[in-house]
Structures are given as C-alpha cells and as structure tokens.
Amino acid sequence: MTVNTTGSAVDGRHFDVIIVGSGWAGSLLARHLGRQNWRVLVLEAGNGGTDTWEGFQDTVRTFSAAVVKASNAAYRTSAAAPFPDVLDLRSTGPSSYTTSGHFEQTGPFPYAGDYLRALGGTGMHWFGAVPRMFPEDFATRTNFGYGADWPVTAMDLERHVREAELLIGTAGDGAEQHRLGVVADPEYQYPMEEIPPSYLDARFHRLLDGRSVTDKIAESAYTLQVYGLPQARNSTPNPAWDDGSGNPYRPRGAVGMPNFGERCVGNASCTPICPVQAKSHPLRLQQDFTDSVRLATRCVVSRVLPGRGGTVRGVEFREYGDPATPSSRPYTVEADIVVLAAHSIENAVLLLASGMANSSGNVGRHLMDHPTLLAWAEMPANDPVGAFRGPGHTSGLECFRTGQGRRKRAPFRIEISNWGWGWSTGAPLSSVARMLGLGGDANGEVRHGGYFGPKLRRDLGQQVNRQIQLQIAMEQHAERNNRVTIDPARYRDGMGNPRPIIHYDLDHRVKDGLYAAREVSKAIFKLLNATDHTNLGVQDDGSHPLGYFTHTPGGDLPPQDLGYRGPGHAAGTHIMGTRKSTSVVDADQRTHDHPNLYAVGCGSMPSIGTSNPTLTMAALALRSAERIHRDLAELHQPVTVATSHLAGKRAAE
Amino acid sequence: MTTMYELAQQDYRQPKDVPELRRYLQAALEVEHLTIPVYLTGMYSIKPGTNAYAYGVIRSVLLEEMLHMTLAANLLTAVGGKADVSKFVRKYPARLPFADKRVPEVRLRHYSPEALVTFLDIERPQSFVPPNGQKPTGWTSIGQFYDAIRRGVTDLEQAAREQEPPSTIFTGVAGDQIGPRDFYNSGGEVFAVTGLKTALLAIEVISDQGEGAHDTIWDSDDKIFGEERQVAHYFRFNEIHKGRRYGRHDLPRTSPSGPLLDITWADAYPIDPMAKIEDYRDSPELKTQAVLFNKTYAKLIAVLEKTFHGRSDLMHHVVPLMVELRDASQRLYRNPHPNAAKAALGLHASPTFELTDLFLAEGRTYADELVARTEEPSQLRGGGVLPSWTRPH
Amino acid sequence: MTDGTNAGAAAPNADTHLEAPSAPLERFVRLCVPLTGFSAFDLHGTGMAPLYLDTTRRELGEGHLENFLSRWEQAQAEGKGPAELPPTEREIARALVYLWYTGAWPRIAPAVHAELRRDRPNGESMASATSYPEGLVWRAFGGHPGGAKPPGFGTWSYPPPTLPTEAEIAESITQSAATATRPYDPTAYGALANLLDEESVPPHLLPGACVTRSVPPSAVPCAAPPPETGSGSPAKDVSER
C-alpha cells in the first residue's frame, strides 16, 4: 500500500516539499526527493485503492461494465474531485456542441480530451506511448517562424529523458529511433526490446516503405517509412541494456500482485486500462517511495498560501471521506517548497484561484492538444490484417513531422491503429448493430435488411478483420486565446472549488494540417489498395461529428469535410521561458513570481511537437527534482559568519 | 510406464550415478506436469466474476508449477539429459508418486472443498508427513524426493571434481537452457542451470515454493527473487479450504486465524471427476470439442518438449496454446453434461486431459512446423518483415 | 454511462447449480442458434445463457418474450429464416443477437419500443460486468475482447486466423438447430440475392462515424443510407407483403 497518511494527520505540519498530484510528474518528483531524504508530502485529490489488487480489480470490472469504453471508463466518478470525461460532449449540429460535467466550454470548437483525478492521475489511463520529441520541435519560432521556443534544447534534456525512459520502463529500438532522428546516440539501448510490431505494421512496411506521397499543402513529396513506437509497456528485457551495475533490467509487473504483468499479453485495452498492468503507471514509482515520503489521497488542494516576500507558505486543502459526496474538512499544511503537479488544466485553475504566478497574465493561456484526424478504410478481401489485436498502435509514419513543410501547415504524426475502426466508428460493437440493421430508421421504424446467423457471423468476421484506421495527430502551437479561466462566482464544483472554463479553437495552420492529413490518408489508402470509408461530414442520420468543419487552405484546393478528436494531451497553461513578462515558469519549472513555488507538468511546455508529451514531461520533472534538491540543500546550509559576510559584501556590490 | 512411478517403487535413496540422476530429473519433470491439469481444472471451472481470490491463488500456484517444470527441464538438460514428454501422465485419475500410500488418487475436480483437499495432498510439506517407521525405506513425500536429488547432485558433482583430471556432471549445452528472456510472469524467473550453484538454487526454488521454507508458512521467494513474501502453496490452499487467511503469528500446524475470505463453492461448474471422452458419445459436437481440447493439449506438450530440447525461443508459442486451452476448457465447463442422467445431476462437461500416442505425434508434427516456420520467415504472410524477437537466438 | 456504479456486483447467479438444465433455458438457447450463427455448444460456452434469458425477460416482459419465442419457433417450423420474420419479431431477434454478440442489450427501433410498451428507457446497457468478455463478436473475427482473454505476448504479430466459411458455419449449427426444416438459404438470413458473391459488405450495413464518444455502439449511424426500395431491389422485404 502506497497511501500512508491522511489529511487530518498532516494538518498544521511542516514538510520540506508539498507535491500536489500523484501522477507521473508528482510521483517522479516525490520518488527522487524522498531518496535524497527530504520530507515530502504528496496530496492527491482523487480516490486511491488501485494500489491494492482488489482495488485494481474493481477498475477492471468497472471497465467491463461500461457501455462505452472511453478513456475514463474504468474509473469511478467523483463528486468531491470531479474530472472531465469525453462522454460529456454532445454534437448538436454542424459546428455546434454542448458540454456537461467538469468543464465549461466557450470556444468555437470543443477541447475534446479528458483527464483523471485519482491515485496515479491520468497516468492510469494513458496509452503508454513515449516517443521523444525532435530537436527541431524545441525551437519552432526560430526554425519555422511560428509558436514559442523553449528555453532549453533537446540536448539539455537528454540526460533526464534517458532517466525517464528507464524509470517509466520503456521498450523500444534504439537504433531505429536514432535513424528517425530523435536519439542522438547510435548505440542507445532502451531497457526493453521493442514491443513486437503488429501484423498490420508488417503489411504497412511491405506496402508503403519507400513509396512516395505528395502533400500539396506543404508543396513537397514525402517518402514513406514505417517506424516502431517506443512504449512504456513490458517487453523482453534488453540484454544489451547496461546501467553499469551489471544487473539485467527486470520488468516491473503489477502493483499488489506478484508474478503478474511482467510482459504485455495483448489485452488490447491499454487505454483505458491494462488489466495485467504491463503498461507502466505511476503506482510503480510510488512503490519506491522512501519512508520520508507521505502520500494522502482524497485531499483536494484549494489554494496555495502566500508567505512573506513573494514566497509561498504551504497549501490549504479539503479532505473528504466519500467520493460520492463533496462534504469535506479544511486543513492547511506548510512546506519550504510547493510543487503543483496536478495536470496542466488543474494547475492553471489552482494558480488562478490562488492569484499566483500570474504577473505575465499567461496563466491558463496557450492551451494545446494534439487535434487528431481519424481516417478509416477497408483492406481488400484477400488481405485481412486482423483488427483489435495488440497494443493500440505499435508503429507510425513519421515523415510529416519534420522539415520545411512545417512552414506551410501543422506537422503531424500518423499512428497506425491496431484497433480497427474502434475510435472512429465504435467498431466492432457498432459493426454488429449496423450489420443486423438494429435500432430503427430515421422515423423510428424497423429497418429493412440486415444479416443474421451464418451470414452475419461470416461477413462480420471478415469485415472486421479488414478494418484499418489512421490516427493523425497534429501539432497545435501555443496561442494566447486558447485558454483556461475560472469564474468562481458562476462555476464551482460541489466542494466549492472553481471549475475550469475552456476557450478552445483551431487556427489555420492546424486546419491546413488536418486538410493535408486527410489528403495524405487518401493517398496511403490507395497504396494499400484499401477502400476509404472515412466520412467526417454529415452522417446517415443527419448528425455531424463533434469537431466537424469544412476547410480549404486556399488556392484551387476544394473545400472538404474535416474533423478532429482530442487525445487529451493538454499542455501549455503555464509555459516556461526566460522572460518573466511572457512566461510563467523558468527552465526548471520554478514560477518567475515565487521563488519556492513550482508548476510542473505538460503545462510548462511551450510546444509539444507531434510527440505524446508524457516522456518529455517526465524528463522535465526529473530536471526540476534536481533543482529543488539544490534549493533545499541551500536552504539548509548552516549560516556562518564568513558566508554571511560574503553575502553581505556581494549584496553591497 | 512413467519414470516417476518406476522410481517411486524402488527404495528411498539418492541417485548413485549421472544416468540415474537423469532418471530422477525426468521423474521430477513428470511430477511437476502431473499437477498442472489438476490446477487448471480447479481454476477454470470457477464461474467468471466469482471467487476472485481463490482464482488468483490457484493461478499463482499453477504458474509456479510451470516454473518448476521448466527448472526441472533445465536441470535435466544441464546434466546432459533429454526430456521425454511421452512419459507424462496420460489420463486421470493418477497416483501421486513419492507420497504416503494413504494419499488417494489425484482426480480432476471442479472448484470445490474436495478439489482443495486434493491440492493439499499434492503440496503437503515434508515435515507434516509422519516418519515411515524406523528404517526410511519408502518415499513419503515429494519434498523427500527433491532432497534425494539435491544430495545426489551435490555428491555426484563433488565426486566428478575429485576425479583426475577433474570433471563435472554439468555437461549439457549452455545454449539449450531456458532463460528469463523466454519465460516470465510466473513465480519468479527461470534461470539457466550451468553448474552446482544454479542447480542447487533451482532445486531450492522448486521445493521451497511448494512446501514452505524451514518450517515456516512462508516460502523463500523474497530471499531469492526479492519478491513480496507470499504464503507457500500448501498454506495458500489451506486458506481457501478453511475460508480464512493466515494471521501474522500462525504456524504451519495451526489453522488459519486471520480475516474471512469470500469463498462461494456454489459458483463453480460441477463436473464428473472420472469423465472420459467416451462419455460424450451422445453429443457429437461436444465430443468433437473435447477431442479438440486434448489435441491442443498434446500440441502444447509437444511444443514444450521442443523448448526443453534447445528451442527456448518457441516458448512464445506456448502462451497462445495455453490461452486456447483456457478458452476451450471454459466452454466445456459451461456446457451441461451430454449424458442425460449426468446432466440431471447438475453435472457439466469437462476437458479430460487424455493424451494418446497419436495426439502426441500430431503435436510433434505441429511443433516441427513451428520450427520450420521460424527458419523460413518468408512463409509468414506478413511479408518478409519478421520482428527480431521471433528469430532464434 | 461510465460511472459503473453497479460494476462491483457479480453477474446474477441464475445458473442452475446441481440442478438439471431447465427446459426454458434449453429452448431459449436452441432458438438463438440460427439467429446468431453459433452452435448451442458455443452459446452455452459463454456461460451467459441463464443471464441472457433473464435479461431478455426483463427487457421485454415475460409475455412478449414468450410471444417472440413461439413465433420464431413457428416460423422455423414453416421453413423460414430470421430475415423473414415480421418487423417487430425481427427487431427483437436483432436485439437478442446483439446481446449474445456484445453482452449488452441495445437501443431498439423506437417503434418497437413503443409497441411493446416497455417500462424502461430505450438505451443500451451492459447485462453484467462478466457478460462483456463473453461477447461472440470477438470470436466471429477470431479475436478476443478488448481488456479480457488476452492472447499472449507478441501474438499480434501473427497473421489473423482463417475464419470458417458461411457454409461451414451453417453446417456446424444444423447439429443443434434440429428444427430447421430446409437447407441453409442465405437469403432467409438477410443475404441480398444480387450480392451473394460479393466479398464486401454494402456500406448501409457498416457503421458510420461515432459522432461523439457518448453515442452507444448500437446507436452509431450507418455508413450510408439503405439502397432505394423498388421492384427487384436488394432491400425488398419479403415479410412486408
């Protein structure tokens, strides 16, 4: 059991560090600082229990019982620490939508992702993709004339990225990632060998490698090449991996159950839940917490407390007993350093609610996601690929992510989905309903046609095994008006904390990227000899997909139906930079305004390229952990006459 | 006849030379295998969504038996022997070798108190067995059997080293060992047996996991593998049987006194412990499925044999076959017994785990095809790109 | 609905422990064989037969269930297939197949919902947390349910399994569907006479875009409108004479 204290037990106490949030960032920081013997308190707003076998089994059952297996389907809702769900959104017509639940949304387009407030945070339902960012991603302003540059380079983060890959537990092919251009060292070894690519990947290799596709928007031809995806999923230990200790890498399995989850067994449900826990999650790191780390769940931080001279003193939080009710008790706890690691959107809410770190006016601004275009098609009858097998995606097409095309449109990464038309159409369950003709026509009358018996079983089986889907994730760059705000007078949750108000939009670069992605998908389907079934526009029943719009990049390019889904890679709400006037945190994620307040996580990222952001976020967290350790060590150094004399002298100069 | 029964009939003594040590290790392999269908039956006859704790316990023990079987195969390979699966038990009920004569035959039973009694019989610690008179001439426990192997390995290796020039009993090809690369998720890791040290460690793992180390209820996994302390097999089963967890201060001979467990014996598919394929003649479809199960089981055994014979890379074909057996057996258990009289008693169909020469031969052909396929990557329809992990190493 | 508030509850234990299988259950299973294309062995093999009988009874009411079963029994005796059932029975048959294939009771045609005067909302609901992994759709394509019955490390690298042909499936179910009085005729199961040799499923029988994630699978739109009805058209419905 990881959870080892309660809110009431720490009331009024003082710690070296308080960390708000027990997801990847918070857990990495707590683990690191605990090993340096600092007294750390981790406050998790959500419920715990998944660190026991019985508790984890409850999430597996919750998943099984859910009608729609969306990203939060395995996790119970909470009235005390509510969180958004992709099921909150409804499409009400072309380019119109409604939302219910945790978010208020005011933008022309919905922010279509979600997150999870629970022990381990969104690191429980994440997919486990850990691609590195390209070096050029860190300076899009300098290189391509858009977005915001980072105050650090890929090289600066390299050491921490490696450490993150080890701690998260990564399977990948180092040589291949070197060829791709994201790993500098040609000899680099991941701790585990790559997750076996799918049969579908092999078909894509065979049919696409070396073939050329022209992107009219980027005005450039691209040569296709399928690359494997580094994943935080247990695979065969890499015998070539060496950390200098002489010990082989040993995959870490399930928490609370020995001999379980030491290798991916192909449950094909990574998001929302890996039932064997072969997919890494933050609870693994929490098992490493030293005795100096205390963790309490069901403690919702409502405010950061101001201290003297621009510092912060601690946090105010409310502890609840029953997640079904928001009734709770307030407590305070103090620390030398406070770290917000509560998810980019919740970090922004907390800073805004506390009136802190916002001298730049940029808290909550620059909200980014990876708007993702789905394109789906059917392989020929003589080339079934076998859908819904293995991890959600094991390979991708990477050539559209880099280079001068970025000047013309958003870059994008093409994920090759191993789960058929699941995300786009709800297959294979929706396939059953549609092939049966179930549910009535537009007038509610019983439909004609439809298959039964041997005909149904056979045609359904062969059709599903031919389903392929491309998930094409755009880079969205930082824009001031995509933002999180609060309005406590109007929008509060049951406990009284402000709910996030989100204003989200897509700019023309992203729309041009989505247009290009749709065109590229058509070309790829042609090369595969597959029949395109993509329909992003009006549907048979008159409904429009959420995120629908029509767009032309101009010139003689005809307008076409486009749309996007939100994978929930929320970033950029407290971006880092060197200047206090334009950024919220510095390169170590310390707020410019408060020397002992850190805001860590994807919120600090000035750009997210086309890489799933967790790995980079984890590296940043490890970087911050080193800085916090230095801060604390400095704070605890004995003051001697000599040094104070020198300090005084330096101050006088 | 199987090696284990032959051995069990002779007097209790340690192996006197390397050929006899190999016979002992072949017998060890057979003993470990014998238990697997028994546990599979107990586990897969549980109704889905019920008895989660018991299911988890049986699963964990089952996986450890597989680890033991693999370690026994590594030991046998290490001393220059070659595993022979054709001597495995071919039908149930089967006698438990090296056990007290009063222990009844082992039957395939659905999840029930009777099944747990069988499990306890299998895993009973050596120290629980009353001494067999003044002169220890007969075998009384499996632990005693492994003890004989341990002493045999030690003495024979000692003798070999003292020869001039010094030699060793560990003459097997190191590359033929099954290692952690190929085997995972199961009661610790498989490791290569390359000398006396690893051999003794392997024997320690096999006997401690089953019976508990040094007369405590805890096994020594934490010592060897750094894993969580878990109650040894016998005691884990006794918890289910008694419906209570062991408490912190419970001793091997006391009954568990900890918290109650959620055990519901009614949530299982009752089966006929004597079921044979022939009993299913009234239902051609059910009989076909039951035969198919046995053929798949034979395939599994045959592929395992290949992995014991130096093709440890084929281990990744074992898991899909296990999965096939899991799904096929669950379908059988959920079907009413096709014999009307038995169905009227509420009995369900069950896999019979009957092996025949024909099935084994077919299984070996299948295993040969797998070998051929790994050598001819172009035969994969995926088209030439064979992932590195499928290549032999 | 994903809060899964009843997820902790195990499947209602409706099975007949140490009792002979009940006649109503056997009849229910037997009648579901030609609808699903899976044999009685396979249907029993899900372990869900008693739960699904209960679920159907709860969703339709005892009277409507009995009406449906006897009409379908009668239709079979007359040599008819499920596609030849009258509209209401056909929709109930579809709902039953959906239940067997997915473990969930679907949203049905509003006209039938109204006609049956059902006392519950016309939405999709999972029969139980244990029913989802037993869905037959996964077996129809030789796969496994997402999040259950995992096939083992690296199995996704292998080519997909070869599936039985329609004729093989028809053959395998005749053993348990003893009431079938005519040889398997695909058109009685919905096959379109002019598309018998087509390898592809017509788009109106495929799912369209799931417009938001909140749309349950049974309410996802079709990929295309059905072909125009008219003389000799594929959608011509024999039961609507």
Side-chain angles (χ1 to χ4, degrees):
Chain A
M1 292 267 291
T2 308
V3 178
N4 54 16
T5 192
T6 63
S8 59
V10 299
D11 184 31
R13 286 182 53 192
H14 185 274
F15 287 82
D16 293 321
V17 190
I18 293 168
I19 297 172
V20 181
S22 68
W24 275 121
S27 298
L28 282 161
L29 274 154
R31 179 184 178 278
H32 189 94
L33 294 168
R35 287 159 82 95
Q36 317 262 18
N37 282 321
W38 299 112
R39 288 166 302 141
V40 181
L41 174 66
V42 181
L43 294 173
E44 169 54 51
N47 206 0
T50 42
D51 54 336
T52 65
W53 179 245
E54 291 78 9
F56 195 83
Q57 289 314 298
D58 179 61
T59 63
V60 176
R61 278 194 303 274
T62 305
F63 161 80
S64 268
V67 167
V68 176
K69 313 253 187 258
S71 38
N72 279 338
Y75 309 93
R76 291 173 183 269
T77 53
S78 169
F83 46 86
D85 194 303
V86 291
L87 307 186
D88 295 340
L89 290 161
R90 296 272 192 285
S91 163
T92 51
S95 308
S96 88
Y97 68 92
T98 59
T99 184
S100 57
H102 191 51
F103 286 160
E104 285 300 316
Q105 299 223 33
T106 60
F109 285 98
Y111 173 80
D114 59 15
Y115 50 87
L116 182 58
R117 290 168 91 185
L119 184 67
T122 314
M124 299 308 290
H125 87 203
W126 76 316
F127 168 68
V130 283
R132 290 190 184 190
M133 284 172 67
F134 284 94
E136 67 177 50
D137 290 333
F138 289 86
T140 58
R141 170 64 59 185
T142 304
N143 293 328
F144 308 107
Y146 72 89
D149 287 355
W150 288 57
V152 292
T153 65
M155 198 66 95
D156 295 333
L157 285 181
E158 163 79 16
R159 180 167 60 87
H160 292 119
V161 169
R162 286 183 179 217
E163 194 182 346
E165 281 166 345
L166 173 61
L167 290 175
I168 292 175
T170 307
D173 179 344
E176 188 185 40
Q177 293 299 304
H178 170 72
R179 285 199 299 281
L180 178 60
V182 291
V183 169
D185 176 4
E187 305 290 316
Y188 183 65
Q189 300 291 338
Y190 285 96
M192 290 176 283
E193 292 179 3
E194 64 176 340
I195 289 283
S198 64
Y199 174 78
L200 172 64
D201 295 340
R203 293 301 297 147
F204 271 56
H205 267 294
R206 176 80 167 244
L207 295 167
L208 296 182
D209 282 357
R211 304 296 292 268
S212 179
V213 165
T214 298
D215 171 2
K216 286 184 204 146
I217 320 303
E219 297 170 333
S220 172
Y222 290 86
T223 303
L224 301 177
Q225 172 69 46
V226 175
Y227 284 89
L229 172 74
Q231 292 160 70
R233 217 176 305 293
N234 284 341
S235 178
T236 310
N238 180 358
W241 177 84
D242 178 15
D243 69 343
S245 71
N247 296 322
Y249 180 79
R250 178 122 198 252
R252 301 187 62 173
V255 166
M257 178 61 124
N259 312 323
F260 210 73
E262 288 158 10
R263 210 159 295 186
C264 170
V265 288
N267 261 296
S269 60
C270 322
T271 302
I273 188 167
C274 174
V276 302
Q277 305 181 47
K279 177 188 76 177
S280 186
H281 57 55
L283 273 49
R284 280 193 198 165
L285 296 179
Q286 293 168 9
Q287 304 293 302
D288 297 349
F289 283 176
T290 55
D291 288 346
S292 67
V293 179
R294 308 269 102 187
L295 197 165
T297 52
R298 303 187 183 186
C299 291
V300 185
V301 174
S302 46
R303 203 158 63 98
V304 179
L305 299 170
R308 271 186 289 183
T311 62
V312 299
R313 180 160 57 91
V315 299
E316 184 180 284
F317 66 95
R318 300 188 71 95
E319 181 176 45
Y320 59 92
D322 177 3
T325 75
S327 85
S328 55
R329 284 172 181 275
Y331 300 107
T332 59
V333 61
E334 301 193 346
D336 291 336
I337 289 180
V338 173
V339 181
L340 306 184
H343 184 270
S344 49
I345 291 174
E346 293 295 326
N347 270 3
V349 168
L350 207 40
L351 287 173
L352 291 168
S354 310
M356 287 200 174
N358 202 14
S359 64
S360 66
N362 276 332
V363 169
R365 291 190 183 272
H366 308 115
L367 176 66
M368 297 174 263
D369 194 5
H370 283 131
T372 299
L373 181 128
L374 302 181
W376 58 103
E378 188 180 61
M379 291 296 281
N382 63 2
D383 197 2
V385 290
F388 302 98
R389 300 191 298 162
H393 86 272
T394 38
S395 295
L397 293 159
E398 320 287 353
C399 56
F400 305 99
R401 300 173 67 188
T402 52
Q404 292 306 312
R406 298 178 84 158
R407 289 186 179 276
K408 305 277 177 45
R409 46 124 181 95
F412 48 87
R413 173 165 189 272
I414 303 181
E415 302 177 350
I416 302 165
S417 169
N418 289 328
W419 295 347
W421 300 354
W423 197 3
S424 52
T425 75
L429 305 187
S430 64
S431 306
V432 178
R434 296 290 59 88
M435 202 167 284
L436 281 163
L438 183 68
D441 60 16
N443 300 319
E445 298 296 328
V446 176
R447 280 180 192 270
H448 299 273
Y451 295 167
F452 285 99
K455 178 73 182 161
L456 171 75
R457 178 175 166 185
R458 166 68 185 180
D459 280 30
L460 186 66
Q462 63 91 22
Q463 201 284 324
V464 168
N465 272 343
R466 291 158 60 188
Q467 294 182 358
I468 58 169
Q469 177 178 284
L470 303 177
Q471 302 159 183
I472 313 183
M474 299 300 121
E475 177 188 47
Q476 181 173 35
H477 63 274
E479 283 189 286
R480 279 181 64 76
N481 290 333
N482 286 342
R483 65 185 297 200
V484 180
T485 54
I486 57 170
D487 182 356
R490 291 181 67 196
Y491 301 118
R492 289 191 294 166
D493 65 21
M495 195 178 272
N497 291 313
R499 291 197 282 123
I501 304 165
I502 293 182
H503 184 95
Y504 186 75
D505 198 358
L506 304 180
D507 93 323
H508 73 92
R509 284 182 54 78
V510 173
K511 288 180 173 174
D512 289 353
L514 289 163
Y515 191 101
R518 179 68 189 106
E519 290 297 302
V520 165
S521 70
K522 290 177 187 168
I524 288 172
F525 290 154
K526 201 166 277 177
L527 291 171
L528 294 168
N529 203 17
T531 310
D532 198 335
H533 282 263
T534 312
N535 177 9
L536 303 172
V538 64
Q539 301 295 305
D540 172 47
D541 60 358
S543 60
H544 286 79
L546 193 73
Y548 159 80
F549 63 97
T550 59
H551 178 69
T552 169
D556 53 359
L557 295 165
Q560 66 175 333
D561 289 338
L562 294 172
Y564 71 96
R565 306 290 179 108
H569 297 172
T573 53
H574 44 78
I575 60 169
M576 62 166 62
T578 45
R579 298 218 322 261
K580 196 179 166 177
S581 56
T582 53
S583 58
V584 179
V585 299
D586 68 14
D588 294 323
Q589 304 188 89
R590 183 163 82 160
T591 58
H592 292 305
D593 297 353
H594 313 283
N596 63 341
L597 176 64
Y598 286 74
V600 306
C602 295
S604 300
M605 295 167 69
S607 72
I608 51 175
T610 43
S611 299
N612 310 51
T614 298
L615 177 69
T616 311
M617 176 193 76
L620 289 175
L622 291 167
R623 179 182 165 96
S624 296
E626 285 185 3
R627 168 69 181 273
I628 292 168
H629 170 62
R630 286 201 305 272
D631 288 358
L632 286 169
E634 212 164 278
L635 207 60
H636 284 75
Q637 250 157 35
V639 180
T640 66
V641 177
T643 50
S644 57
H645 169 71
L646 282 174
K649 198 176 159 192
R650 206 179 293 136
E653 281 169 12
Chain B
M1 191 178 176
T2 65
T3 322
M4 57 181 172
Y5 295 135
E6 283 173 8
L7 261 183
Q9 279 177 359
Q10 73 183 40
D11 280 351
Y12 162 65
R13 60 174 164 80
Q14 69 185 71
K16 63 179 190 305
D17 54 23
V18 170
E20 192 166 76
L21 175 62
R22 290 179 192 149
R23 266 185 78 222
Y24 272 57
L25 290 169
Q26 165 70 28
L29 202 59
E30 294 165 19
V31 170
E32 298 301 337
H33 161 262
L34 168 74
T35 63
I36 290 173
V38 182
Y39 293 139
L40 282 174
T41 305
M43 184 166 78
Y44 290 141
S45 58
I46 295 177
K47 286 190 183 171
T50 71
N51 290 292
Y53 179 80
Y55 186 95
V57 166
I58 303 173
R59 178 187 173 278
S60 69
V61 171
L62 174 71
L63 291 178
E64 286 179 6
E65 298 300 347
M66 293 183 188
L67 170 77
H68 297 173
M69 185 164 79
T70 310
L71 285 175
N74 273 354
L75 279 164
L76 179 55
T77 309
V79 297
K82 202 168 180 201
D84 180 2
V85 301
S86 63
K87 294 190 168 173
F88 280 8
V89 151
R90 297 198 175 193
K91 61 180 195 299
Y92 290 82
R95 273 185 303 113
L96 197 62
F98 311 113
D100 190 309
K101 296 291 180 284
R102 285 163 293 186
V103 175
E105 281 190 320
V106 172
R107 296 180 179 190
L108 301 176
R109 291 181 187 277
H110 64 274
Y111 175 71
S112 58
E114 296 76 26
L116 267 295
V117 169
T118 303
F119 297 177
L120 290 168
D121 283 340
I122 293 173
E123 304 287 350
R124 192 173 310 279
Q126 191 176 354
S127 57
F128 277 28
V129 179
N132 194 356
Q134 288 297 340
K135 278 200 301 175
T137 51
W139 302 94
T140 53
S141 80
I142 294 174
Q144 200 186 35
F145 167 61
Y146 278 110
D147 193 51
I149 293 178
R150 184 180 57 78
R151 286 189 283 135
V153 165
T154 312
D155 291 353
L156 290 171
E157 176 65 3
Q158 185 66 31
R161 284 178 185 176
E162 283 166 3
Q163 280 174 13
E164 202 49 56
S167 86
T168 177
I169 62 169
F170 298 101
T171 54
V173 179
D176 287 354
Q177 293 283 317
I178 299 168
R181 180 189 171 86
D182 307 296
F183 193 96
Y184 47 89
N185 249 8
S186 302
E189 274 181 7
V190 162
F191 48 87
V193 175
T194 51
L196 187 59
K197 198 176 151 203
T198 41
L200 293 179
L201 186 65
I203 296 165
E204 192 184 344
V205 167
I206 297 173
S207 45
D208 279 5
Q209 270 186 342
E211 302 190 348
H214 319 299
D215 249 11
T216 68
I217 61 173
W218 306 101
D219 66 25
S220 58
D221 261 7
D222 56 340
K223 193 172 80 195
I224 298 168
F225 299 116
E227 291 182 347
E228 265 177 63
R229 268 160 67 110
Q230 43 183 322
V231 183
H233 294 183
Y234 178 87
F235 304 97
R236 280 189 259 173
F237 285 144
N238 204 27
E239 287 184 330
I240 302 172
H241 189 231
K242 300 288 191 310
R244 272 191 186 278
R245 302 290 303 267
Y246 274 98
R248 195 174 293 275
H249 305 295
D250 286 336
L251 294 170
R253 279 164 212 278
T254 61
S255 219
S257 68
L260 280 171
L261 285 169
D262 182 18
I263 304 287
T264 51
W265 297 115
D267 287 319
Y269 296 101
I271 62 164
D272 174 7
M274 307 299 282
K276 297 281 170 297
I277 288 289
E278 260 318 288
D279 301 342
Y280 302 146
R281 56 187 171 271
D282 294 347
S283 167
E285 182 179 17
L286 202 136
K287 187 175 167 185
T288 307
Q289 297 294 333
V291 168
L292 193 63
F293 178 93
N294 287 342
K295 288 185 170 183
T296 310
Y297 176 54
K299 274 187 197 171
L300 173 77
I301 299 290
V303 176
L304 273 177
E305 186 176 51
K306 278 266 187 286
T307 67
F308 299 156
H309 291 176
R311 289 302 303 260
S312 64
D313 57 304
L314 292 180
M315 197 57 102
H316 68 257
H317 287 285
V318 169
V319 177
L321 286 168
M322 294 283 309
V323 165
E324 235 180 291
L325 290 180
R326 174 196 68 199
D327 294 349
S329 69
Q330 289 189 333
R331 282 198 281 276
L332 283 165
Y333 293 129
R334 293 164 183 177
N335 267 273
H337 199 291
N339 176 293
K342 289 192 167 153
L345 293 171
L347 294 179
H348 287 244
S350 58
T352 62
F353 292 93
E354 291 166 275
L355 286 176
T356 65
D357 284 336
L358 178 64
F359 291 175
L360 268 181
E362 285 175 7
R364 281 172 170 152
T365 308
Y366 171 82
D368 289 336
E369 282 166 12
L370 288 182
V371 172
R373 212 191 295 169
T374 55
E375 281 155 10
E376 290 287 338
S378 59
Q379 288 184 9
L380 255 186
R381 276 201 293 156
V385 182
L386 198 70
S388 60
W389 66 281
T390 61
R391 286 191 289 269
H393 49 267
Chain C
M1 197 50 197
T2 56
D3 70 0
T5 40
N6 63 352
N13 179 21
D15 203 1
T16 50
H17 178 68
L18 284 179
E19 283 172 22
S22 71
L25 185 66
E26 286 304 304
R27 177 187 182 220
F28 175 72
V29 167
R30 194 177 68 243
L31 288 170
C32 285
V33 167
L35 300 179
T36 57
F38 282 89
S39 68
F41 174 82
D42 285 329
L43 297 186
H44 276 299
T46 63
M48 292 295 131
L51 174 69
Y52 291 165
L53 177 57
D54 284 352
T55 303
T56 312
R57 195 180 280 134
R58 198 173 61 237
E59 293 288 343
L60 299 178
E62 181 75 48
H64 290 309
L65 171 62
E66 178 48 38
N67 275 346
F68 166 75
L69 292 176
S70 51
R71 281 184 197 168
W72 171 221
E73 215 158 31
Q74 177 66 26
Q76 283 193 82
E78 293 165 11
K80 286 183 183 163
E84 296 159 323
L85 283 167
T88 301
E89 279 70 29
R90 201 168 56 224
E91 187 71 358
I92 293 173
R94 287 167 175 161
L96 263 175
V97 176
Y98 190 81
L99 179 61
W100 280 108
Y101 269 58
T102 69
W105 183 267
R107 182 182 168 277
I108 61 172
V112 174
H113 177 71
E115 185 190 330
L116 299 180
R117 297 171 163 274
R118 292 171 68 213
D119 61 354
R120 49 187 52 235
N122 186 18
E124 182 164 342
S125 61
M126 200 53 80
S128 108
T130 50
S131 63
Y132 160 74
E134 300 300 335
L136 294 172
V137 58
W138 313 100
R139 289 194 62 203
F141 66 88
H144 69 95
K149 302 177 189 276
F153 182 70
T155 47
W156 51 90
S157 292
Y158 307 148
T162 308
L163 301 176
T165 64
E166 196 174 335
E168 285 165 351
I169 297 168
E171 167 67 26
S172 77
I173 66 165
T174 49
Q175 290 184 348
S176 34
T179 49
T181 53
R182 74 175 191 203
Y184 177 72
D185 171 5
T187 61
Y189 288 79
L192 307 173
N194 59 339
L195 291 178
L196 278 182
D197 298 324
E198 276 290 318
E199 295 263 34
S200 285
V201 177
H204 74 279
L205 296 181
L206 294 176
C210 187
V211 296
T212 66
R213 296 306 307 275
S214 54
V215 175
S218 63
V220 167
C222 300
E228 292 297 314
T229 27
S231 86
S233 89
K236 184 165 184 298
D237 193 321
V238 280
S239 69
E240 313 274 308
R241 289 153 300 199

